[in-house]
Amino acid sequence: MFRVPSSTPPSTPDSRRPSRFAPSTTPAGPPPDHSVIPSSTPAGPPPAANSLFGNSRPNFQQPPSRFNFQTSTYGSSPPKSGLFVGTGLGSIRASTSGRPGSRRGRTSSSGFRVPSSPPRATQEEDDDEDAEGSEEDDEDEGMEEDGEGDDEEIDEESNEEEIVAAQRAPRVQNRLSQSVVSRTSATDSVSGPTVVRVGAKQSQYDLMSLAKGLSPSFDHANLHEPDEVILGTEQLMERLSDSYNNDAPDKRASVVGDIAHELLALWQASSREPARGGLSSSRPGAATALSNATRLTSLLLNIHHPNPKASAKALAASTLALTRRGIDTFTPIPKVLLDWLNTYRNLDSEIDVVLKETAGYSRHRFFWDTVRASASRGQFLKTMELLKGSNFEVAETAYDDTGSSGYTGAQLDYARRAALHAFNILDECPAVRSDDWDVKGHDWSIFRRRVREALSELEDLAEGDSKNRHSVSQPLQASHFGISQSQAMFQLSTRSRKAECKVPWSVYQNLSRLYQLLLGNEEEILAISADWVDATLGLTIWWDGDEEEGVPQGSLAASRRSIARSQRIRTVDVIPVKAYTQRLAAAFAAALGGEDEFTINTTDRVEVGLACIIDDNVEGALQILRGSSLVVAAAVAEVATAAGWFTRADGILNQFDRSDLMVLSFTEQQRSGVSQDDLLSAYSKLLTTRHRLTSQDGTTTREGWELAIKVLGRMEETDLANERIEGILNQLDLQSGDRVDKIIQLCHNLGLSKQALGIALKYADHLRANTQNYGDTLLYYARAHAGTKIQEVLRVLVAHCLVKSLAYPPPAELDDSLNSLITSPKQTLTKLSSLDSEAAQLLSNGLSGYATIRKFYDLRDEEVLLKTEKPAHRPMARKRAAANALTVIISSAASSIQGGLYDPEVETVVQVDVLLPLLGEALVFVNQPKRTLTLRHLYSLLAAIEDLSTAPSMIQAQCEEVLNATLGSSDSSLGKSTSNITTTSSQYSLIGSMDLSSIQGLSTESSAVLVKGGSTLDDAKRGWDWRKGFPRGAKGDDVIRVLRLGIAREIGRAFAEGEVTPA
């Protein structure tokens, strides 16, 4: 590299245009002003650069400079290190992730994520440089522009008179001495060749296969997340499900966005991994699985659901909601990507190392790397801080340019002025002025124009009108006529340009690269990128939103594009999320397909996951996520499905469920990839292994199966979900009514009525077979809508009452549920109705018969059962109430055989089988000193007797069997078994095929089958016992004969007393 022998560059009179920043050195004084030279254009001379845009510059309401920057302080040492305390490690190591050690001017010794300053060159290397093929020439070729503007920034240290005298020299009119770039307006110059091709997709890697290979099978998955993470995630997913099923589309979109950010906050609070810049997840001290999942999810969800700005929290955050009307209310995607980079791949420690230089930041060998790196990460305040405290008197790059330690004299002055101008340009950036990161927007478009002007002004300051400035090999085109002509090649060695450059060459080159970065120069972005992640995100962050391929400057197509640019509506302005996801994929393809040879570490799960997200391969990203956290993967799949940005790789098959595929003769094995239902099913399976989950504050407790059923209830394929839910429910141990109530209520809430009925039936069967808890048995049969089962239990209870001739179970043995059904049926049934109205109706219809029979026995035995308490009824009133209850039951039992014909369609509260024992209970009310039965009661009894006498023989036979069991149970030395009750086969049977032993838990061959604990009936206390008046083996005719005689006498007494019509 050529080195200037002195601090002052050589000055040959009239060799080049004098800089407008320096006084004239010609003996005759300054040359005439440029304005005196007649214009060669018909419209006159072009406007000055500082008025090129008129009033079109954005009004950023410029506040005072954040650093109170003054030229007089530029040359001073930077602030003391105590004011800029950083967390830098003090070491910069090589980045080995995804790129070769040395290319595009990078040095393998630098661990910085951007290339370091050019190394010092030897004299031999300088002599061997070829002007056309030198790397510096290649870089300069894309940066040179012709700046037409006058001075905008003048160093305050310059003498005002000298500034006035330093007028611009006339331009060289030889058009062959100007490049295409120099003849193009600064506002139309491009920021470099286009690397990213619109709509391009990478084809080097099969990301889906890589993701599958790096993810374990569902059988080997585990649930390692803390309880509070699982409970919090499920709470948010339930909100999402409720909104999806009940809310309007606009409201749903808002809820999806809110839940996406609440999920991220929950997971990030639980992971709290250190924000270091490494990429690999396999390095020592790597983040936990949840942290890795959170790192990927934060990028994926924030891209598709940008966070609303503080003033627009109530607006929707879904992809479809980001219409032109509401775009400005959401965080721009470039800001989202920068935040992610600065969170998970930050450069703070490296930047802080440079900021610790007390003599001057430029003394550090990575100063310019740090300037570009901070700018590329959007940390413009740090970039400005670095420029402010650069102090080029100690600049390390001076060794490369002059061979001395620091710049002096004119070079120092020019370096300061160039850096000052860059500082002021950055201070005009919309991101600095108003935190505006809409890089594709209008304000940024105007800012880029200012950067182009600044680049042109920098070139003018550094190289002036030197013809060597444009001596690059370029064919000139008469594009208006489609003619291409080869022109003479003007070449100059790099060392000659360095010698002529007023601004120190390293400062000039690095500031030019900084400007190119701000312009979104794609080659420059690739040059400073450490790996494919930096390259891809950088190409997306600094994208100006245009989707057209580059066309030659100065051509008619370029002119037309410039005109049409302000007239068209771009995709990125209407649906930015879609446009940026496409840009990410195209940038990814460019990063992998360029000369930088970026590669992906295909063995690292996090890196492959990032590649899937950037390539818009959501299914591949979910494959990677489930390997780290099935909780996170399932939640992201639900959010993506609700928002509409998750589609499976199955293509059209994604639109069909299992039943549809069966109709189309497709088998499930033909489907590939992972779906939301796959993740939810696997997640629910793991939840069942958790016995109980408790929140950190202990206020919330859930059982694993409970959460598993809720998860399955959100599956799209309902048949598969119901099958899995039934499997979970069948494995549950139904130990208590509270747990069963929870299960039933959960099933009803999820719309799983069939499963709720099945659980209720299963628990009721358990109670019936193993306990004497008749009340709960009836309630759960009712909740199972098992009307037949309810009738079976009630028949058993009625049979117990009649055979034992007392209320069964006795009051002391009543369970709470049956007691409430008997003593306060209205309140109990109302409470049941609030849970299940159909269950309350079924139980109410069947319960009345048993309740009435029990009431009869309670009234009959009231006096003998109450030892110390006073009876509620007087003796005669008690008998009349009992007689009234008994005749009602007798009438109901006989209603199905009216006229001697059996009608099975007639609904009765008790079966006809028990008619003879009921008639026997009525014997106590006849032939009494004081008449109890009214004429209506007597007629009802007489009608029942007549109907039974003419009933079919099978009914009469069954009634005889029940009567025999009743009479036999009154003898303490029973010889006849009551098993006949359970073995008689008849469609009119009281018990039917039901085995009484299943309730008592005792053999029906024992005389104590209907007596708890095996005790005989003689121990019970009764108000009266009609069975004592009949011998063993008495028949039904005997009971009816006695009753007929008693009824006849009672009717006679009624007539005699003047009661001739039923009351």
Side-chain angles (χ1 to χ4, degrees):
M1 181 180 295
F2 186 83
R3 293 181 180 175
V4 180
S6 65
S7 60
T8 303
S11 60
T12 302
D14 296 329
S15 64
R16 58 186 177 274
R17 183 184 64 173
S19 171
R20 58 175 177 263
F21 290 97
S24 173
T25 59
T26 60
D33 186 82
H34 180 72
S35 61
V36 304
I37 301 176
S39 173
S40 60
T41 59
N50 58 2
S51 63
L52 183 60
F53 303 105
N55 296 326
S56 63
R57 275 187 196 168
N59 180 12
F60 296 118
Q61 300 177 356
Q62 299 182 1
S65 175
R66 286 166 173 77
F67 295 103
N68 192 22
F69 190 82
Q70 299 293 334
T71 305
S72 60
T73 63
Y74 220 113
S76 64
S77 298
K80 299 300 181 182
S81 60
L83 299 177
F84 301 98
V85 177
T87 57
L89 301 180
S91 62
I92 302 176
R93 295 175 298 277
S95 172
T96 60
S97 174
R99 72 180 304 135
S102 177
R103 65 174 65 84
R104 296 185 64 89
R106 300 169 182 77
T107 58
S108 60
S109 62
S110 171
F112 216 76
R113 288 178 176 78
V114 293
S116 62
S117 302
R120 301 176 188 177
T122 63
Q123 183 65 38
E124 290 75 15
E125 290 173 337
D126 291 339
D127 295 336
D128 293 338
E129 288 180 349
D130 181 83
E132 180 178 358
S134 66
E135 186 177 30
E136 289 83 352
D137 282 354
D138 292 339
E139 293 177 352
D140 293 343
E141 183 177 343
M143 296 186 292
E144 295 172 353
E145 299 185 68
D146 183 17
E148 294 289 336
D150 291 330
D151 303 338
E152 292 190 54
E153 305 292 343
I154 304 297
D155 193 327
E156 296 180 4
E157 294 180 350
S158 299
N159 185 278
E160 185 175 355
E161 294 180 359
E162 292 179 347
I163 296 173
V164 174
Q167 301 295 328
R168 299 183 61 180
R171 292 267 181 189
V172 178
Q173 297 301 312
N174 183 5
R175 69 189 299 265
L176 297 181
S177 68
Q178 302 182 43
S179 67
V180 174
V181 177
S182 68
R183 295 195 305 275
T184 304
S185 171
T187 59
D188 293 332
S189 63
V190 295
S191 57
T194 300
V195 176
V196 180
R197 303 301 176 187
V198 177
K201 295 283 287 186
Q202 70 84 24
S203 57
Q204 295 179 233
Y205 298 94
D206 185 356
L207 295 178
M208 181 61 69
S209 298
L210 290 175
K212 290 180 180 178
L214 292 174
S215 302
S217 64
F218 284 112
D219 294 336
H220 294 86
N222 55 70
L223 203 61
H224 51 74
E225 291 75 10
D227 288 357
E228 58 268 16
V229 172
I230 298 175
L231 291 173
T233 302
E234 279 308 298
Q235 183 179 8
L236 293 172
M237 289 299 97
E238 289 173 20
R239 276 180 50 199
L240 177 64
S241 179
D242 292 341
S243 175
Y244 188 80
N245 294 326
N246 303 318
D247 292 339
D250 291 344
K251 178 64 174 177
R252 286 202 302 264
S254 175
V255 172
V256 171
D258 292 342
I259 288 177
H261 297 110
E262 290 180 37
L263 284 172
L264 284 176
L266 172 65
W267 298 333
Q268 288 170 349
S270 299
S271 57
R272 297 297 183 193
E273 68 166 339
R276 288 293 304 147
L279 177 65
S280 175
S281 62
S282 58
R283 65 188 188 281
T288 62
L290 179 60
S291 298
N292 289 332
T294 303
R295 173 188 292 191
L296 297 176
T297 307
S298 63
L299 179 61
L300 178 61
L301 290 184
N302 278 319
I303 288 176
H304 290 277
H305 300 277
N307 200 14
K309 293 181 180 178
S311 60
K313 289 293 185 181
L315 295 179
S318 73
T319 302
L320 298 179
L322 295 182
T323 60
R324 191 175 183 84
R325 179 181 179 185
I327 289 173
D328 293 339
T329 62
F330 296 92
T331 303
I333 301 298
K335 178 63 173 174
V336 168
L337 300 179
L338 284 172
D339 288 345
W340 186 86
L341 279 172
N342 291 326
T343 300
Y344 295 101
R345 295 164 62 84
N346 71 61
L347 304 177
D348 291 345
S349 59
E350 288 86 348
I351 296 175
D352 290 339
V353 170
V354 178
L355 291 175
K356 289 180 179 180
E357 285 288 348
T358 57
Y361 301 143
S362 63
R363 186 177 183 179
H364 198 285
R365 66 191 183 106
F366 291 120
F367 168 71
W368 286 111
D369 295 336
T370 307
V371 169
R372 291 194 303 274
S374 59
S376 69
R377 292 298 179 87
Q379 300 179 22
F380 292 138
L381 294 182
K382 287 191 175 181
T383 307
M384 296 166 67
E385 182 181 348
L386 289 166
L387 291 175
K388 173 189 174 183
S390 55
N391 190 11
F392 291 110
E393 293 180 358
V394 296
E396 193 268 347
T397 56
Y399 288 104
D400 299 327
D401 296 334
T402 65
S404 61
S405 57
Y407 299 112
T408 59
Q411 282 193 326
L412 176 61
D413 184 51
Y414 281 119
R416 288 174 176 173
R417 297 181 186 187
L420 170 62
H421 198 45
F423 179 95
N424 292 332
I425 289 295
L426 288 174
D427 197 45
E428 294 180 16
C429 178
V432 176
R433 291 292 177 179
S434 57
D435 197 28
D436 176 10
W437 282 102
D438 187 14
V439 180
K440 63 177 175 52
H442 176 69
D443 290 348
W444 271 84
S445 178
I446 297 176
F447 172 68
R448 280 189 289 271
R449 293 179 184 177
R450 280 291 297 126
V451 174
R452 290 189 183 98
E453 292 176 18
L455 179 58
S456 177
E457 292 166 1
L458 176 63
E459 292 172 352
D460 287 343
L461 175 64
E463 301 191 71
D465 275 341
S466 173
K467 63 180 180 180
N468 296 322
R469 166 185 173 186
H470 307 299
S471 61
V472 292
S473 176
Q474 285 196 13
L476 300 184
Q477 298 181 0
S479 47
H480 295 291
F481 302 94
I483 301 173
S484 177
Q485 300 177 356
S486 298
Q487 304 295 330
M489 311 298 289
F490 295 89
Q491 302 177 353
L492 186 67
S493 65
T494 301
R495 60 186 178 185
S496 297
R497 293 183 64 198
K498 290 181 180 179
E500 293 181 347
C501 185
K502 295 185 179 65
V503 178
W505 185 255
S506 296
V507 177
Y508 174 40
Q509 291 291 290
N510 282 291
L511 287 178
S512 297
R513 295 182 67 182
L514 174 63
Y515 288 143
Q516 291 289 354
L517 174 64
L518 296 176
L519 291 172
N521 184 298
E522 295 177 358
E523 283 197 337
E524 177 62 24
I525 293 172
L526 290 175
I528 67 172
S529 299
D531 53 30
W532 65 268
V533 178
D534 285 342
T536 302
L537 297 189
L539 291 171
T540 305
I541 291 167
W542 305 110
W543 177 46
D544 61 4
D546 287 339
E547 298 178 344
E548 297 176 351
E549 303 290 348
V551 296
Q553 278 297 323
S555 65
L556 182 60
S559 301
R560 289 176 175 173
R561 183 178 69 173
S562 179
I563 296 173
R565 185 175 299 165
S566 61
Q567 300 176 350
R568 71 176 184 269
I569 297 177
R570 304 178 300 178
T571 303
V572 73
D573 297 324
V574 181
I575 28 181
V577 170
K578 178 180 179 181
Y580 272 105
T581 52
Q582 293 174 349
R583 173 69 179 188
L584 277 170
F588 184 39
L592 295 182
E595 63 182 27
D596 296 88
E597 301 178 7
F598 289 123
T599 59
I600 299 175
N601 183 359
T602 57
T603 62
D604 186 82
R605 184 179 297 170
V606 171
E607 194 164 341
V608 174
L610 284 174
C612 291
I613 293 171
I614 290 173
D615 202 37
D616 200 22
N617 188 340
V618 179
E619 187 174 353
L622 291 176
Q623 290 277 16
I624 293 295
L625 285 175
R626 74 174 179 84
S628 297
S629 173
L630 198 53
V631 178
V632 173
V636 171
E638 290 190 69
V639 171
T641 301
W645 48 269
F646 171 37
T647 55
R648 290 181 57 175
D650 295 341
I652 193 173
L653 293 181
N654 186 45
Q655 308 299 320
F656 302 100
D657 58 18
R658 287 197 305 173
S659 59
D660 296 330
L661 293 176
M662 290 177 62
V663 173
L664 296 173
S665 300
F666 280 89
T667 60
E668 191 70 16
Q669 287 73 19
Q670 291 177 286
R671 307 189 70 173
S672 61
V674 64
S675 67
Q676 171 187 298
D677 286 358
D678 295 334
L679 295 171
L680 293 178
S681 179
Y683 179 33
S684 66
K685 184 177 180 181
L686 293 179
L687 282 173
T688 58
T689 62
R690 289 282 188 98
H691 176 64
R692 193 177 301 275
L693 296 94
T694 305
S695 61
Q696 196 167 13
D697 56 6
T699 58
T700 304
T701 302
R702 296 286 185 272
E703 294 185 76
W705 63 264
E706 182 180 356
L707 295 179
I709 291 177
K710 289 184 178 181
V711 169
L712 291 173
R714 299 195 297 267
M715 289 176 58
E716 293 181 331
E717 200 165 335
T718 55
D719 291 341
L720 178 61
N722 292 339
E723 179 182 332
R724 301 291 169 81
I725 289 174
E726 288 181 2
I728 293 176
L729 295 178
N730 290 335
Q731 295 176 359
L732 293 179
D733 187 10
L734 306 179
Q735 299 175 343
S736 66
D738 292 339
R739 189 178 195 187
V740 173
D741 289 341
K742 180 191 293 186
I743 298 173
I744 294 174
Q745 190 61 43
L746 175 61
C747 292
H748 280 303
N749 292 341
L750 297 175
L752 306 174
S753 299
K754 181 180 178 181
Q755 286 76 9
L757 299 180
I759 287 294
L761 181 61
K762 181 179 179 180
Y763 186 57
D765 287 340
H766 165 76
L767 293 175
R768 180 180 176 184
N770 300 285
T771 70
Q772 294 187 11
N773 194 336
Y774 297 108
D776 284 340
T777 302
L778 289 171
L779 287 173
Y780 285 106
Y781 273 139
R783 299 195 68 175
H785 298 175
T788 302
K789 297 284 188 178
I790 293 174
Q791 292 298 328
E792 289 178 357
V793 175
L794 290 173
R795 289 173 189 173
V796 170
L797 292 175
V798 169
H800 276 257
C801 291
L802 293 176
V803 170
K804 298 172 66 174
S805 188
L806 51 76
Y808 183 85
E813 299 176 8
L814 276 176
D815 58 87
D816 294 338
S817 298
L818 187 57
N819 183 55
S820 63
L821 285 171
I822 295 171
T823 57
S824 54
K826 184 176 181 180
Q827 291 83 345
T828 305
L829 292 175
T830 300
K831 181 179 179 181
L832 178 61
S833 180
S834 65
L835 300 175
D836 190 339
S837 58
E838 185 176 351
Q841 184 65 34
L842 284 173
L843 189 56
S844 175
N845 293 339
L847 187 64
S848 58
Y850 168 71
T852 305
I853 291 178
R854 187 178 181 93
K855 179 181 178 181
F856 164 73
Y857 286 118
D858 288 340
L859 290 169
R860 187 197 70 176
D861 303 335
E862 183 180 39
E863 187 174 3
V864 297
L865 294 177
L866 296 176
K867 300 178 180 179
T868 59
E869 299 180 12
K870 184 178 180 180
H873 302 84
R874 298 178 68 84
M876 195 62 199
R878 184 170 62 252
K879 280 189 175 183
R880 286 174 179 171
N884 185 64
L886 183 61
T887 55
V888 168
I889 293 298
I890 291 174
S891 297
S892 176
S895 61
S896 62
I897 54 171
Q898 289 183 0
L901 299 176
Y902 176 69
D903 185 359
E905 300 298 328
V906 175
E907 294 184 2
T908 61
V909 294
V910 294
Q911 297 298 309
V912 69
D913 308 61
V914 298
L915 189 54
L916 280 177
L918 288 174
L919 292 174
E921 294 287 357
L923 290 173
V924 73
F925 299 112
V926 298
N927 298 324
Q928 297 297 320
K930 206 167 184 180
R931 188 166 63 90
T932 304
L933 299 174
T934 65
L935 194 57
R936 179 178 294 278
H937 294 157
L938 294 171
Y939 285 163
S940 297
L941 293 175
L942 189 58
I945 292 172
E946 294 300 327
D947 291 338
L948 180 60
S949 300
T950 58
S953 58
M954 293 186 66
I955 291 180
Q956 293 181 8
Q958 187 60 35
C959 290
E960 289 287 347
E961 291 292 340
V962 176
L963 178 63
N964 290 337
T966 302
L967 295 176
S969 64
S970 64
D971 189 353
S972 59
S973 57
L974 286 174
K976 180 176 176 61
S977 171
T978 60
S979 62
N980 289 336
I981 295 179
T982 66
T983 57
T984 303
S985 176
S986 170
Q987 61 175 320
Y988 318 113
S989 173
L990 166 70
I991 307 300
S993 61
M994 183 179 61
D995 187 0
L996 285 175
S997 64
S998 66
I999 296 179
Q1000 290 292 353
L1002 300 174
S1003 172
T1004 55
E1005 295 300 319
S1006 169
S1007 61
V1009 65
L1010 299 179
V1011 183
K1012 182 178 180 180
S1015 62
T1016 62
L1017 297 176
D1018 290 342
D1019 296 336
K1021 294 181 179 181
R1022 303 173 180 83
W1024 60 81
D1025 190 352
W1026 69 274
R1027 300 171 300 173
K1028 300 296 184 180
F1030 290 89
R1032 180 180 176 182
K1035 301 296 184 182
D1037 291 341
D1038 300 332
V1039 176
I1040 290 176
R1041 182 173 61 251
V1042 173
L1043 186 57
R1044 277 180 181 275
L1045 180 59
I1047 290 174
R1049 291 176 178 174
E1050 291 297 319
I1051 291 176
R1053 291 174 63 182
F1055 287 164
E1057 294 176 0
E1059 185 180 357
V1060 295
T1061 57

